[in-house]
Amino acid sequence: MLRTILLGPPGAGKGTQAVKIVEKYGVPHISTGDIFRENIKNGTELGKKAQEYMNKGELVPDDLVCDLATSRLLQPDCADGFLLDGFPRTVYQAEKLDEFLKEHDSRIDVVLNLAVEKEELITRLTGRRVCKVCGASFHIVSVPPREEGVCDFCGGELVQRPDDNLETVTNRIDVYDSQTKPLVDYYEKAGNIATIDGAADLDTVFGDIVKAIGE
Ligand code: AP5
Ligand code: MG
Ligand code: ZN
């Protein structure tokens, strides 16, 4: 059983490490950002609402996100654990999540806080390329695909996310500092947070995550 949250600024490597965590621990990966992007792709009402916030680098309103996340957590595949990526992102969302878990006799085992400096975040996000088909993340310099523009995992086309331009990236980092960073304190008070140096190379970061979770 592993119930965990990946916390960290945009570009800290949450999505990248999530792939490895899922592979080792077999828990479902729940990324609210990925769910919104899927809804945008499918042209749903939820997607239309979320898109205007995402393109500006603003947060989608709390209630919309909380309903989405809690209904996902009620699905049977989450009964033996889950990996939340990008949720919660405000103190309000964290409180709602705690209420929900309490109602279901559940709790968070460990919060994995990936820490990376702003300059490195900007380099990572502006150089990121994502697979149009499976969503895998690459980086033009630090994590290049074997063949330029082609996903290593599924052969899909690699594109830039619409919110990965410098202006939106800068705003996303500011939004993180003002609205999400307070969660570090929130979980420190709860006593179940592990802060990990996210600036190290992929395997070192993953090794530290495994140490924090336990084998
Ligand atoms: P979301 O999709 O969650 O984006 P984010 O938090 O901004 O984070 P990213 O996905 O950009 O970064 P990441 O940490 O996953 O990094 P990655 O592994 O790709 O959210 C998008 C939007 O949706 C939000 O702005 C908001 O509007 C909305 N939203 C979502 N959830 C919400 C919520 N709960 N409430 C309200 N709104 C919400 O890595 C980045 C790059 O670095 C890649 O190129 C990668 O290859 C590279 N890289 C990774 N690790 C390393 C390493 N160790 N060394 C070198 N390069 C590395
Ligand atoms: Mg991500
Ligand atoms: Zn792919």
Side-chain angles (χ1 to χ4, degrees):
M1 170 83 90
L2 171 66
R3 295 158 297 194
T4 183
I5 296 172
L6 268 172
L7 190 66
K14 301 182 296 295
T16 303
Q17 295 298 329
V19 176
K20 293 168 174 284
I21 296 170
V22 166
E23 200 183 306
K24 183 170 170 71
Y25 297 94
V27 286
H29 175 204
I30 304 174
S31 156
T32 39
D34 285 350
I35 299 174
F36 287 135
R37 279 183 288 277
E38 192 63 29
N39 275 275
I40 292 172
K41 198 160 96 185
N42 296 331
T44 69
E45 272 312 306
L46 177 67
K48 280 178 201 146
K49 279 187 202 151
Q51 189 167 27
E52 51 176 310
Y53 298 97
M54 291 172 78
N55 284 348
K56 287 185 283 190
E58 300 292 333
L59 295 184
V60 175
D62 279 339
D63 280 321
L64 222 58
V65 188
C66 289
D67 288 348
L68 179 81
T70 51
S71 59
R72 178 66 187 84
L73 285 170
L74 284 172
Q75 287 176 24
D77 64 333
C78 296
D80 292 326
F82 49 80
L83 169 62
L84 288 168
D85 162 0
F87 177 87
R89 238 182 171 90
T90 61
V91 170
Y92 178 88
Q93 291 178 20
E95 287 169 350
K96 285 284 158 192
L97 175 64
D98 278 346
E99 274 170 37
F100 171 87
L101 293 172
K102 213 171 166 190
E103 276 164 25
H104 293 84
D105 283 323
S106 184
R107 63 186 170 85
I108 296 297
D109 301 309
V110 60
V111 177
L112 304 162
N113 177 37
L114 297 182
V116 179
E117 291 302 319
K118 180 171 177 175
E119 220 128 280
E120 170 71 7
L121 297 173
I122 293 175
T123 308
R124 285 189 185 182
L125 291 173
T126 51
R128 172 165 62 182
R129 297 293 180 271
V130 294
C131 175
K132 236 176 149 171
V133 181
C134 75
S137 277
F138 297 87
H139 189 276
I140 48 173
V141 178
S142 59
V143 192
R146 281 192 293 271
E147 191 184 332
E148 199 188 313
V150 181
C151 176
D152 284 359
F153 306 104
C154 76
E157 185 194 346
L158 299 183
V159 295
Q160 209 169 2
R161 245 167 66 172
D163 57 350
D164 276 350
N165 58 78
L166 183 60
E167 193 191 337
T168 311
V169 162
T170 309
N171 192 41
R172 285 161 59 202
I173 296 172
D174 289 345
V175 166
Y176 167 82
D177 282 335
S178 62
Q179 301 194 54
T180 308
K181 214 175 176 183
L183 287 183
V184 175
D185 262 357
Y186 181 93
Y187 288 113
E188 258 160 18
K189 283 191 188 113
N192 59 349
I193 190 168
T195 294
I196 287 155
D197 175 18
D201 65 83
L202 296 189
D203 294 332
T204 306
V205 176
F206 185 60
D208 289 344
I209 287 177
V210 172
K211 271 185 220 149
I213 297 175
E215 280 292 336

